[in-house]
Amino acid sequence: MKDVSFYDIVIAKKDQKIVSADAWIYDQLGSYAQKPMNELIAVEDMDIYLNNIKNCDGNWYPSKLLCPDTMYYTYMKAAVENEDFIRLTIINAADLLNAHSSLMRTINIFQAQLDMYEDVYFVYTPGEESVSVFNTEVSDFQSRVYTLDEFEKVLLSRAKGDQIDSVKGFITQVKSGVGRSTTTVKGNLLNDDSDVTHTVLDESFVFYDKDTKGVVGHIQLLRSSGAVKINSIKHDSMTGLLEKSDILRIAKERIDDRRLEGTALAIIDIDFFKSVNDTFGHQFGDEVIKRTASIISNEIGTDGISGRFGGDEFLVLLYDIKSEKELRVKLKGIKNKVTSTFPDKGIDKDNPLSVSIGAAVFPKDAENYDDLFELTDHCLYLAKEKGRNRYIIYTPEKHGTLEEIRRKQQNVRKFNERDNSYGDVIVKMFNMALHDKDSTIEQYMSEFAEAFDLQNVMLFVGEPFKHRYSAGSKAIDDKVATDFLIKILDSPELDKYFALDNFVVINRLETLPPFAHKLKEFLTKRETYSVIYIKFFDKDNRKCVFIISSVGKSTMWNQTHFRYYRAFIDLLSLHSLG
């Protein structure tokens, strides 16, 4: 792990002049070292700086330090040196971030090593009488912090006869904190695998630093050959997370078989990932998946396990969740870290990449895995429906019971379900249009825009034309815009604009005729550079116009999608749209 350097500055209380400082501080400040400290703090941080100088309570706070050639993002704390002076201790925030990244890499390396074998790793901290246990997917107990007595009970839960004395002897050795020992117990203390012949308990006393000591250890399972069995769990080659089959198996085992309370399930989906691929290329899309997976893994740490569910979707298990607040912290950390990692790689250059997350907890929310997954998936759908870049945790008061959700889904079914093709989406819409009287045009349009990752779709019904609905990730539905377009649609020159065709594709605004300068000017101001114009008639032979537009970038429309667009228009024409 990279070291973090702490730098000291001693200032006078009366005028805040720098009395002494470490060499690095003088090197960075140069001539600024002659200034009082309060002139070296960014204006927006001044209040918190002055408050901490006043209190001198030793609490860390963020502050930007002004130097001649640059500005450093730092953390500072103030303490009383004596009656005349104050000591400021400063950490460079960049160094702190680098150290954190280095630490996370080290943790991931150790975790990868543990994952290669059936191995439970633990750390005993004597002063706190706590045992932190990691990587317990092969065992009947879970990763979390135990007291030493609780840890002993866990190991004894499967022990019989001579095994009991062996386990107690091992715990005594751990308590003593002296040297290193290995205890081999005949039989399997971790799970029901009958092929296991022995359980090996190792522990070793360690000094972490001059003030901290403890015991580290691990537990291994041996087969008749005496070799440790390599873990059969498969990892996704791109992300290093568990493959779909294994994350599902582990989830079902924890919930349906082991009935481990506080197991939270979360589904994480990268928003508008198809647009990311189309805009930045598949190589960058792969990098997004890898880095998002790394963020998920780092934020979860040893409190759970994660897998790649397919494409740009991830499934996460969190252990021993005791409150919604605890779950919220984890999900918020993942969401915020993704947006800060890709600040300008979202649906357009002005938006960050984001994720949508749905979550629910066993047994609070459901009694089995299938029901819990259904609630989690519903919350993910709600997160997307409400605008994405958010997490939604299931609560029956807000979202209804499972039975109510199922009834609602039967009446207002999702069309763009996981792994559906574009053709499947359109077929399901036709099925709803023909057989479900509760479905709505607004619902069709929203789902159509989501299925094809469209930024703006608009429906106008005439004559004279009226704006019926807009949908999409950048839906245009303000009155100024719709009134202008209605004026164009009602114009006698409309057919000149679109060359008397019912399906007009405009990849670039330059292809519009010269007299359409007002329309081009309007679209340019709206950053709408590519348009598809479709004219059709509804069930009552009423003229209608459907507009698909790309906002923020020019788009070379995918011609293979045109048959689906036409099919969607055929669906709309089955309805009375007035």
Side-chain angles (χ1 to χ4, degrees), residues 273-520:
F273 182 71
K274 182 179 180 298
S275 294
V276 173
N277 266 338
D278 292 344
T279 303
F280 303 105
H282 288 276
Q283 187 172 357
F284 180 77
D286 289 348
E287 183 64 22
V288 166
I289 289 176
K290 291 176 187 176
R291 295 180 69 180
T292 301
S294 179
I295 288 167
I296 292 170
S297 181
N298 289 343
E299 291 297 315
I300 291 172
T302 58
D303 296 328
I305 194 167
S306 54
R308 188 179 179 192
F309 199 68
D312 59 314
E313 202 166 46
F314 306 90
L315 188 68
V316 171
L317 280 174
L318 288 164
Y319 305 155
D320 204 23
I321 294 297
K322 293 182 171 63
S323 67
E324 182 177 310
K325 180 180 178 182
E326 187 179 352
L327 178 56
R328 195 174 294 277
V329 168
K330 290 291 185 184
L331 302 184
K332 185 177 181 180
I334 293 170
K335 180 184 77 71
N336 290 351
K337 193 66 177 289
V338 170
T339 56
S340 64
T341 301
F342 303 100
D344 57 353
K345 294 296 190 293
I347 191 67
D348 57 45
K349 64 182 186 301
D350 297 320
N351 286 294
L353 187 78
S354 61
V355 294
S356 297
I357 309 174
V361 182
F362 168 84
K364 179 178 72 70
D365 301 325
E367 283 296 316
N368 58 68
Y369 168 81
D370 288 337
D371 290 351
L372 192 71
F373 182 90
E374 193 170 345
L375 292 175
T376 303
D377 194 42
H378 178 69
C379 288
L380 173 64
Y381 174 75
L382 292 178
K384 287 181 168 296
E385 189 179 54
K386 291 179 181 295
R388 297 174 168 80
N389 191 23
R390 68 194 64 224
Y391 57 87
I392 291 183
I393 300 171
Y394 173 74
T395 53
E397 295 79 15
K398 290 181 182 178
H399 308 126
T401 64
L402 181 60
E403 290 72 22
E404 290 169 341
I405 289 171
R406 284 171 175 164
R407 282 198 298 271
K408 181 180 178 182
Q409 288 175 340
Q410 287 172 355
N411 293 329
V412 187
R413 203 170 303 155
K414 299 188 295 256
F415 306 121
N416 188 23
E417 292 175 351
R418 187 176 290 102
D419 298 329
N420 277 346
S421 68
Y422 292 131
D424 291 334
V425 172
I426 297 298
V427 168
K428 289 192 176 187
M429 286 186 179
F430 267 98
N431 184 60
M432 292 289 286
L434 294 171
H435 302 292
D436 186 354
K437 295 180 181 180
D438 293 327
S439 57
T440 66
I441 297 302
E442 290 77 12
Q443 182 190 4
Y444 294 142
M445 288 182 60
S446 295
E447 293 290 349
F448 173 75
E450 181 177 351
F452 290 89
D453 282 338
L454 300 172
Q455 293 166 294
N456 178 57
V457 295
M458 307 177 77
L459 176 62
F460 295 90
V461 181
E463 302 171 284
F465 281 101
K466 293 181 180 179
H467 174 241
R468 171 67 188 267
Y469 190 64
S470 293
S473 59
K474 291 235 170 209
I476 298 174
D477 58 1
D478 60 282
K479 194 171 187 306
V480 173
T482 55
D483 285 351
F484 179 86
L485 291 174
I486 286 171
K487 185 177 179 181
I488 295 292
L489 296 176
D490 285 334
S491 168
E493 297 183 329
L494 174 65
D495 289 335
K496 290 184 181 180
Y497 286 123
F498 299 108
L500 299 175
D501 201 342
N502 291 334
F503 193 103
V504 179
V505 178
I506 301 171
N507 291 313
R508 293 179 297 109
L509 297 184
E510 291 81 0
T511 60
L512 284 169
F515 58 80
H517 62 277
K518 287 187 178 179
L519 177 59
K520 285 192 283 189

Side-chain angles (χ1 to χ4, degrees), residues 22-243:
D22 290 333
W24 183 85
I25 296 293
Y26 280 121
D27 287 343
Q28 303 309 312
L29 292 181
S31 61
Y32 280 27
Q34 305 302 316
K35 295 184 177 186
M37 192 65 194
N38 59 339
E39 292 185 17
L40 305 180
I41 303 298
V43 174
E44 60 269 27
D45 298 328
M46 188 59 67
D47 287 345
I48 190 170
Y49 164 77
L50 293 176
N51 185 59
N52 279 273
I53 288 294
K54 178 182 177 182
N55 293 332
C56 285
D57 54 12
N59 290 325
W60 292 100
Y61 61 94
S63 184
K64 292 182 279 293
L65 183 65
L66 305 178
C67 296
D69 300 319
T70 188
M71 178 175 69
Y72 286 99
Y73 288 80
T74 73
Y75 281 88
M76 294 185 182
K77 68 176 181 179
V80 175
E81 180 77 357
N82 56 44
E83 61 181 13
D84 298 318
F85 301 107
I86 296 171
R87 178 177 294 272
L88 300 176
T89 303
I90 296 178
I91 306 174
N92 187 348
D95 292 342
L96 199 60
L97 287 173
N98 288 336
H100 177 265
S101 297
S102 175
L103 176 61
M104 293 312 301
R105 282 195 296 272
T106 302
I107 290 173
N108 286 336
I109 289 169
F110 287 145
Q111 187 64 44
Q113 288 179 314
L114 286 173
D115 285 342
M116 291 175 64
Y117 302 99
E118 289 189 330
D119 201 346
V120 173
Y121 174 74
F122 66 90
V123 178
Y124 170 56
T125 306
E128 301 171 3
E129 287 299 308
S130 65
V131 181
S132 300
V133 181
F134 308 92
N135 199 51
T136 59
E137 288 310 317
V138 298
S139 71
D140 284 341
F141 53 91
Q142 58 186 325
S143 297
R144 68 175 179 86
V145 178
Y146 297 83
T147 66
L148 190 59
D149 287 342
E150 289 173 337
F151 185 52
E152 182 177 9
K153 288 178 181 177
V154 163
L155 294 180
L156 287 172
S157 62
R158 287 183 170 274
K160 299 177 182 178
D162 293 341
Q163 295 174 331
I164 295 174
D165 291 336
S166 297
V167 170
K168 288 186 175 181
F170 174 72
I171 293 297
T172 299
Q173 187 69 27
V174 170
K175 284 182 180 179
S176 69
V178 179
R180 176 179 178 176
S181 71
T182 297
T183 301
T184 303
V185 180
K186 189 174 181 179
N188 187 345
L189 297 181
L190 296 186
N191 56 47
D192 291 320
D193 189 345
S194 58
D195 291 335
V196 173
T197 59
H198 294 81
T199 304
V200 180
L201 309 170
D202 281 318
E203 60 86 25
S204 180
F205 178 73
V206 293
F207 283 102
Y208 300 113
D209 53 48
K210 64 179 182 180
D211 299 318
T212 312
K213 60 185 178 180
V215 173
V216 298
H218 62 97
I219 306 170
Q220 292 179 295
L221 300 179
L222 298 183
R223 266 71 184 176
S224 56
S225 63
V228 178
K229 177 187 174 185
I230 293 181
N231 203 325
S232 61
I233 292 178
K234 297 182 181 65
H235 292 77
D236 175 61
S237 59
M238 178 183 290
T239 64
L241 301 183
L242 297 189
E243 287 188 355

